[in-house]
Amino acid sequence: MWSIELDGSFENFFTNRVIASLRHERQIATEAERAIEQLTVKQVVAWFVKDGKIRTEQGTDAAFLNL
């Protein structure tokens, strides 16, 4: 078994990633009218594809993700 030593900067980075992911998952769940726990991989991927198309067709201000 392996282990990883975590320093404060990694923990901060990882915490920020989890929070950012949760923001997306909440939006996807809201649009799908279901709980986050009920989302499928297919729904999540479809949402990211849809948001990308919105960004391409309507511009970054119309999309959910701020890339």
Side-chain angles (χ1 to χ4, degrees):
M1 182 163 201
W2 50 278
S3 67
I4 300 172
E5 288 190 38
L6 304 177
D7 64 5
S9 63
F10 178 80
E11 288 181 15
N12 187 40
F13 166 79
F14 190 73
T15 299
N16 288 335
R17 297 296 357 121
V18 170
I19 291 169
S21 296
L22 183 57
R23 181 175 168 256
H24 302 140
E25 290 173 356
R26 282 185 181 147
Q27 182 64 27
I28 298 165
T30 297
E31 290 181 23
E33 298 179 342
R34 41 182 43 216
I36 290 172
E37 298 83 13
Q38 295 175 324
L39 292 173
T40 65
V41 172
K42 186 176 180 178
Q43 288 174 309
V44 173
V45 170
W47 183 87
F48 277 96
V49 170
K50 180 188 81 166
D51 197 63
K53 286 181 181 178
I54 291 170
R55 172 174 287 97
T56 301
E57 295 170 1
Q58 301 175 30
T60 56
D61 290 339
F64 180 79
L65 295 173
N66 297 320
L67 300 176

